[in-house]
Amino acid sequence: MALRFFNTFSREIEEFEPGDISGRPIRMYTCGPTVYSRAHIGNFRAYIFEDLLQRHLELRGYKVYRVMNITDVEDKTIRGAREAGVPLQKFTEQFKGAFFEDADTLRIKRADEYPAATDQRYIDRMIEMISALVSKGLAYQADDKSVYFRINKFPDYGKLAHFDLTQLQSTGRVKHDEYDKEHIGDFALWKAWDEADGDVKWHSPWGPGRPGWHIECSAMSTALLGDQIDIHCGGVDNIFPHHEAEIAQSEGVTGKKFVRYWLHCAHLLVDGQKMAKSLGNFYTVPDVLAKDYTGRELRYALVRVHYRVPLNFTWEGMNEARESLGRIDEWLARLRQIGKSGNAERPTPNPQCPTTAFEEALDDDLNISAALGFLFESIRQTNRAMDQKEMDAASASAWLDWWNRINAVLDLEAAVDAAIPEEVEQFAQQRENARREKNWKRSDELRERISALGWQVRDTKDGPKLTRGAGST
Ligand code: AMP
Ligand code: ZN
């Protein structure tokens, strides 16, 4: 069955028909972080949803070319740099670095490009687009010297958000000098320099200033992906005004339909409220790691609920994630054991290794809950088969192959420990012998030798287990 996605533009589930894409990848644009502080895990819910989408498209054989912008100039970054008393670039750099670090911790696949708004070539593109809008009568310079988009001249304005123009309110992302504008909903394309901006300014036909947030994305997306984009994503709070404005600007300039599929994820909540910097109810990735959870556990906790369903973040949810991953780890260890030992237990076709149910669930507007439900049902059934010695090596390998296939989308497998050096293995074996002989002194000596080599030995009911220092996955 074909892939289907809920398109915010039509408010309907639509078949994914990217048109003639022979010889070219799917063009995907995802709004990235505003680097004025460390991103919170609500932001990462959006990025994980986009990661799932890209990986599933790839599993289905599409090539994807993804661009994620970095918003490194807008009101909050300028204010932050001013307050910290450092140049804008220096201020935003630390948060860019933190963003990539956290994205790696959460195993988010890197986009193909991360354009930054302050890159001169995109600033030039923004100025070029604004000039085109002005010459078409779609934008005007107001008395305050800023340039605004004239929404009354763009009849489709409001279509993405399904808004009535008469209900438009000011949005906080534009300066509050509304009196200069023709319409309260007109948004800034170019903001004239003022003292509070310090040395953050670029030259333009309208005088010194800086771009508005919305034009940044129109310029970077069309510069790197062309006039028409297949899929554009973000969180639901991006729908209006940001994405609505992106459509008006891009289509205003090119005259072509900007985006075919608009996909938006619901928010991560805390106690029923959106997790947001402004509300102070947020956690960062390091906050979660500091509570001894792993990036893998957080990835699971954020990915496991359908992207259009609001997700309440709780520590209980993190514990559930840990438990679910533990079940997967154990299941894989059992399958590997059987696969390796060539254990010719009763060959059984039951349960048969499934081939497509997991990905078919994801075809249906990324129905991850159904896909994971299917995974855990498969785990339950195969565990029962293994309990009853009804799993032969070939079936176990087939299940492992299946896991490898779906794990290309999930990326939830525990990191493999570095190979245990032979010397450490030998000491562990000698220690085990000493323990059997109740030679505790020798056993302790060997533990110390193992420890000196950077390994730890733990005695479990299944025998001694070796782990590397304080390594976690
Ligand atoms: P920002 O850095 O504010 O531009 O946001 C970056 C991305 O995170 C955007 O796609 C937002 O829609 C998304 N986002 C912000 N807060 C949340 C949240 N609580 N849950 C899910 N996504 C969010
Ligand atoms: Zn954007």
Side-chain angles (χ1 to χ4, degrees):
M1 211 185 288
L3 273 86
R4 295 173 302 286
F5 299 124
F6 182 86
N7 188 347
T8 308
F9 196 84
S10 63
R11 298 275 153 105
E12 276 175 11
I13 299 272
E14 290 179 22
E15 272 201 14
F16 181 61
E17 287 165 350
D20 181 13
I21 52 163
S22 48
R24 72 156 179 94
I26 303 277
R27 299 173 182 134
M28 184 168 164
Y29 187 83
T30 49
C31 288
T34 305
V35 281
Y36 71 105
S37 66
R38 196 165 195 130
H40 57 69
I41 59 172
N43 301 127
F44 280 104
R45 181 186 193 199
Y47 308 142
I48 283 184
F49 138 66
E50 291 152 0
D51 182 60
L52 180 73
L53 173 60
Q54 171 168 8
R55 287 170 182 259
H56 183 57
L57 287 164
E58 288 171 347
L59 182 75
R60 282 313 200 185
Y62 292 105
K63 281 209 161 31
V64 177
Y65 194 80
R66 184 156 73 88
V67 174
M68 175 178 267
N69 71 293
I70 307 277
T71 304
D72 59 356
V73 56
E74 49 71 82
D75 299 350
K76 293 197 291 281
T77 51
I78 293 175
R79 195 186 319 127
R82 195 180 59 228
E83 285 169 7
V86 294
L88 181 69
Q89 196 80 11
K90 190 160 190 307
F91 178 72
T92 55
E93 226 159 52
Q94 57 188 316
F95 301 116
K96 280 186 205 175
F99 165 73
F100 287 114
E101 195 182 302
D102 293 346
D104 287 348
T105 300
L106 293 176
R107 304 179 176 191
I108 293 171
K109 216 174 150 167
R110 293 270 170 128
D112 296 275
E113 307 250 12
Y114 288 97
T118 53
D119 186 328
Q120 188 62 45
R121 85 179 154 128
Y122 301 121
I123 296 277
D124 291 345
R125 168 94 186 143
M126 292 169 212
I127 291 173
E128 192 185 299
M129 289 183 87
I130 299 168
S131 301
L133 293 171
V134 171
S135 61
K136 288 181 177 193
L138 284 162
Y140 59 93
Q141 186 168 27
D143 294 342
D144 67 347
K145 300 269 186 281
S146 292
V147 181
Y148 295 93
F149 191 93
R150 184 177 272 132
I151 60 169
N152 281 337
K153 278 281 170 104
F154 190 79
D156 281 352
Y157 195 74
K159 271 206 172 156
L160 176 70
H162 297 226
F163 265 7
D164 177 350
L165 276 189
T166 56
Q167 293 178 358
L168 286 180
Q169 296 293 325
S170 157
T171 64
R173 285 256 191 181
V174 294
K175 280 188 178 169
H176 294 289
D177 33 356
E178 314 293 358
Y179 304 111
D180 293 312
K181 295 195 280 174
E182 293 174 2
H183 188 291
I184 191 170
D186 287 356
F187 54 87
L189 297 164
W190 187 259
K191 296 187 178 188
W193 180 86
D194 69 26
E195 270 173 30
D197 294 340
D199 58 1
V200 180
K201 58 172 184 268
W202 287 268
H203 294 293
S204 83
W206 314 284
R210 60 187 166 101
W213 173 41
H214 312 312
I215 195 72
E216 295 180 10
C217 276
S218 279
M220 290 185 274
S221 59
T222 53
L224 290 165
L225 295 171
D227 293 347
Q228 296 186 287
I229 293 170
D230 298 304
I231 303 178
H232 195 315
C233 304
V236 285
D237 58 331
N238 279 164
I239 298 174
F240 192 88
H242 186 51
H243 290 165
E244 195 73 61
E246 275 191 50
I247 295 175
Q249 299 161 151
S250 307
E251 297 189 2
V253 171
T254 69
K256 295 182 200 154
K257 189 162 175 67
F258 176 44
V259 169
R260 289 179 69 118
Y261 300 91
W262 284 98
L263 271 65
H264 293 98
C265 80
H267 283 145
L268 185 68
L269 311 175
V270 181
D271 298 329
Q273 264 196 313
K274 177 191 172 189
M275 181 178 287
K277 277 272 145 75
S278 55
L279 296 173
N281 61 351
F282 63 90
Y283 298 105
T284 62
V285 171
D287 290 340
V288 176
L289 300 186
K291 295 223 177 222
D292 275 344
Y293 292 99
T294 63
R296 181 170 80 112
E297 288 165 345
L298 182 54
R299 176 176 175 85
Y300 184 90
L302 294 178
V303 85
R304 76 193 164 100
V305 170
H306 189 276
Y307 75 95
R308 285 195 292 117
V309 176
L311 165 59
N312 211 28
F313 179 78
T314 60
W315 297 111
E316 202 182 311
M318 287 301 300
N319 291 338
E320 282 165 19
R322 176 168 290 176
E323 214 172 282
S324 301
L325 289 173
R327 276 167 68 199
I328 294 175
D329 294 348
E330 239 171 71
W331 175 67
L332 290 173
R334 286 186 84 181
L335 286 174
R336 285 197 179 114
Q337 187 58 37
I338 293 178
K340 205 162 54 183
S341 64
N343 188 350
E345 306 196 322
R346 231 176 323 144
T348 170
N350 194 19
Q352 268 188 340
C353 184
T355 50
T356 54
F358 180 90
E359 42 266 61
E360 274 166 18
L362 290 183
D363 286 350
D364 181 16
D365 195 28
L366 295 183
N367 192 343
I368 188 75
S369 333
L372 289 175
F374 181 74
L375 167 65
F376 284 105
E377 178 55 24
S378 303
I379 290 179
R380 204 178 59 78
Q381 289 185 20
T382 41
N383 274 338
R384 199 173 52 208
M386 288 190 272
D387 290 344
Q388 294 169 355
K389 305 229 174 298
E390 287 182 344
M391 175 76 73
D392 62 344
S395 314
S397 296
W399 278 100
L400 286 168
D401 288 347
W402 177 73
W403 165 257
N404 287 338
R405 181 172 159 77
I406 67 166
N407 192 47
V409 177
L410 295 173
D411 205 347
L412 286 173
E413 193 166 317
V416 184
D417 253 351
I420 304 169
E422 212 177 296
E423 201 182 8
V424 173
E425 292 255 38
Q426 282 172 4
F427 285 152
Q429 188 54 54
Q430 289 168 18
R431 179 176 169 275
E432 198 46 21
N433 296 342
R435 277 166 56 82
R436 278 206 203 102
E437 291 160 10
K438 300 204 183 335
N439 185 347
W440 308 121
K441 189 163 170 280
R442 170 108 180 109
S443 156
D444 285 348
E445 269 169 26
L446 284 158
R447 177 195 284 279
E448 269 165 34
R449 295 180 82 165
I450 291 168
S451 167
L453 291 169
W455 290 78
Q456 283 183 357
V457 63
R458 259 183 324 118
D459 297 307
T460 73
K461 64 178 170 38
D462 301 322
K465 289 263 184 289
L466 285 162
T467 48
R468 257 257 238 238
S472 63
T473 56

